[in-house]
Amino acid sequence: MSPPQTQNNKDSLKDHIVKTSHLTAIVCSTCGRTFSIVEIHTFCPDCQSTLIAKYDLESIRKETDRDEIRRRPKGMWRWHEILPVQNIKNIVSLGEGDTPLLPLSRIGHELGLSHLFIKDESNNPTGSFKARGLCAAISRAKELGINKVIIPTAGNAGGAMAAYAARAGGMQALIYMPKDTPNANIQESRITGAEVILVDGLIGDAGRMAGIRAANEGWFDLSTFKEPYRVEGKKIMGYELAEVFDWTLPDVILYPTGGGTGLVGMWKAFAEMEALGWLNEEKRPRMVSVQAKGCAPIPKAFQAGASFCDVWQGAETVASGLRVPKSFADRIILSNIRESNGTAFAVSDEALMQAQKTLAAQEGIFAAPEGAACLAALEELIKHKWVKPDEKIVIFNTGSGLKYLDTVIN
Ligand SMILES: *Cc1c(COP(=O)(O)O)cnc(C)c1O
Ligand SMILES: [Zn+2]
């Protein structure tokens, strides 16, 4: 019996949730300092690093049956034991998660690959996978009594934050975005009641301005990796992949990287699932971080053997979600890629626009330019014989092409 596709009203969820979160602590990713879960946290005050949520995986292992989770109503919150919200009445949901994993048989055949898939995140609320992270972060913000949230954004994160803040009720939203952000992101933010400030500059400039405003007026800053919960929402993509592959993982994952929450989140999910004993084999995927040639700090640092990124100067690409000159968690991203025996690869805007057409025309998937970049990168990795024809490969389409109509070339 399969659960209904469109659920996630709180009543159906309540019926199924018997235990809530097993969150135990918030821990600094660098110095290991531990923080209480009942307080509000941003990043580590001692070493300015990202804070990470820790769970009592041993008790989840004893009490939770991975196959029981499959029978719960669809959506991200069926994984509530390993999500941070303590009281389910604080869950702010718009039906995020459980996006389809679609085979790409026609493109796969042309590329000589027998097991090529796309995880199509465009089905999320607000048309991008940013919904997952902001859903978790806004729910936790609500739980901790926060009622003013601010974000600097390259686009989709702002729209998602605005939507979840509206859904939460009584939460004010303030957004700083570069003035050349896609119009869809500006309009979706404004119509959901957020104040939008357009910045003459890049995401880093927006971040500085938002940071000052946050400090002066007491807004809670939801910048990527500057609070511990967005990555928790994103990690569920890793759990969904394991589940759909019958508790094994694919050989290769291509992920379009801006701030890197999805990549870091999935890597965390794989470690958690190993500790939970939920994986039938302990073989993790090789993680490929895909960026655009006009803003490629991760590939540059990866190829140079560096442990952190330099700020990329003059960042420019139509894939606005990838226009992040330096991630706050660059060290974690680079270390996760290396631990996975993965790689980092940049593609030109021409190549990713071509791949966007191919995905649409061959498979009916109108992907965001960021998602299309993964297909363009895969084509190059095949030429370099970096992937084998029979490997299980998953590319991530992180958003809908409909949000980028101003840049589509037809
Ligand atoms: C934000 C975004 C990305 C990058 O995601 P990160 O988790 O920040 O690396 C990729 N694609 C789209 C469509 C985005 O909105
Ligand atoms: Zn620290």
Side-chain angles (χ1 to χ4, degrees):
M1 192 192 81
S2 68
Q5 281 294 319
T6 51
Q7 58 52 64
N8 244 348
N9 65 65
K10 285 189 189 167
D11 289 337
S12 64
L13 203 59
K14 244 178 226 153
D15 293 341
H16 281 77
I17 293 184
V18 284
K19 321 175 263 296
T20 53
S21 176
H22 289 241
L23 181 71
T24 54
I26 305 297
V27 179
C28 176
S29 58
T30 301
C31 73
R33 182 170 164 192
T34 298
F35 302 85
S36 143
I37 65 164
V38 298
E39 287 158 10
I40 296 169
H41 301 294
T42 53
F43 47 88
C44 180
D46 293 346
C47 71
Q48 278 70 51
S49 300
T50 294
L51 301 180
I52 302 286
K54 297 278 179 200
Y55 299 81
D56 181 357
L57 298 174
E58 205 43 53
S59 74
I60 301 176
R61 186 179 181 137
K62 285 196 202 103
E63 295 164 23
T64 308
D65 170 7
R66 63 182 189 185
D67 296 310
E68 197 261 313
I69 294 176
R70 198 192 294 259
R71 295 189 290 270
R72 294 175 182 172
K74 286 276 175 207
M76 190 173 97
W77 293 98
R78 66 195 174 92
W79 306 92
H80 57 85
E81 285 94 341
I82 35 137
L83 284 168
V85 171
Q86 303 295 297
N87 185 332
I88 54 159
K89 78 177 199 321
N90 294 317
I91 292 175
V92 182
S93 175
L94 288 164
E96 54 293 320
D98 273 322
T99 55
L101 183 80
L102 305 169
L104 293 179
S105 19
R106 211 164 291 114
I107 291 177
H109 183 75
E110 273 179 22
L111 295 176
L113 302 172
S114 45
H115 303 289
L116 177 61
F117 302 88
I118 191 164
K119 178 85 167 147
D120 192 3
E121 291 289 311
S122 66
N123 292 342
N124 275 301
T126 70
S128 92
F129 75 154
K130 288 293 191 304
R132 294 179 182 266
L134 272 309
C135 172
I138 291 286
S139 298
R140 251 320 247 174
K142 180 179 176 186
E143 181 156 85
L144 295 167
I146 293 165
N147 56 19
K148 286 170 78 176
V149 288
I150 189 169
I151 200 165
T153 172
N156 286 319
M161 187 189 84
Y164 283 94
R167 184 79 171 166
M171 203 180 278
Q172 264 180 284
L174 177 55
I175 298 170
Y176 281 77
M177 43 172 89
K179 68 175 184 334
D180 53 354
T181 298
N183 191 36
N185 298 131
I186 299 170
Q187 300 306 339
E188 68 177 338
S189 301
R190 288 195 168 138
I191 202 161
T192 34
E195 183 188 343
V196 177
I197 294 172
L198 298 176
V199 175
D200 192 4
L202 287 169
I203 177 84
D205 305 299
R208 266 185 300 282
M209 294 169 76
I212 294 166
R213 187 89 185 261
N216 289 343
E217 297 175 18
W219 296 83
F220 186 73
D221 187 352
L222 289 172
S223 293
T224 308
F225 283 119
K226 290 187 179 171
E227 60 76 50
Y229 302 118
R230 281 175 62 187
V231 68
E232 293 302 298
K234 288 273 186 83
K235 83 179 176 187
I236 298 301
M237 297 188 297
Y239 283 87
E240 289 175 14
L241 274 184
E243 185 189 60
V244 78
F245 285 118
D246 281 322
W247 305 103
T248 64
L249 296 171
D251 297 298
V252 177
I253 290 177
L254 289 96
Y255 177 81
T257 312
T261 45
L263 191 149
V264 171
M266 284 192 277
W267 197 248
K268 181 175 193 272
F270 303 151
E272 287 174 354
M273 281 187 278
E274 284 172 7
L276 288 165
W278 286 4
L279 293 177
N280 292 341
E281 48 182 53
E282 290 205 358
K283 195 174 115 323
R284 294 202 206 170
R286 310 201 297 285
M287 304 298 283
V288 181
S289 168
V290 178
Q291 292 196 310
K293 279 191 173 158
C295 182
I298 304 274
K300 185 174 172 225
F302 180 80
Q303 264 119 45
S307 59
F308 61 92
C309 297
D310 297 325
V311 179
W312 188 273
Q313 300 300 329
E316 204 180 330
T317 166
V318 293
S320 49
L322 308 186
R323 221 165 45 172
V324 180
K326 178 178 168 73
S327 167
F328 190 68
D330 51 350
R331 288 174 185 273
I332 307 178
I333 298 168
L334 286 161
S335 130
N336 289 173
I337 296 168
R338 291 196 173 105
E339 197 186 335
S340 80
N341 292 313
T343 190
F345 205 86
V347 296
S348 68
D349 275 18
E350 296 72 51
L352 69 88
M353 299 302 282
Q354 193 54 51
Q356 189 185 37
K357 273 195 177 179
T358 304
L359 273 168
Q362 304 257 23
E363 305 278 4
I365 298 165
F366 186 13
E370 295 87 344
C374 293
L375 178 59
L378 178 60
E379 289 166 0
E380 293 301 314
L381 291 176
I382 292 168
K383 283 186 203 151
H384 290 81
K385 301 211 179 337
W386 197 86
V387 295
K388 295 193 201 74
D390 60 345
E391 287 189 305
K392 237 181 236 171
I393 300 166
V394 175
I395 66 176
F396 267 82
N397 175 34
T398 43
S400 168
L402 289 171
K403 297 186 85 174
Y404 301 76
L405 293 181
D406 22 3
T407 60
V408 170
I409 302 162
N410 254 321

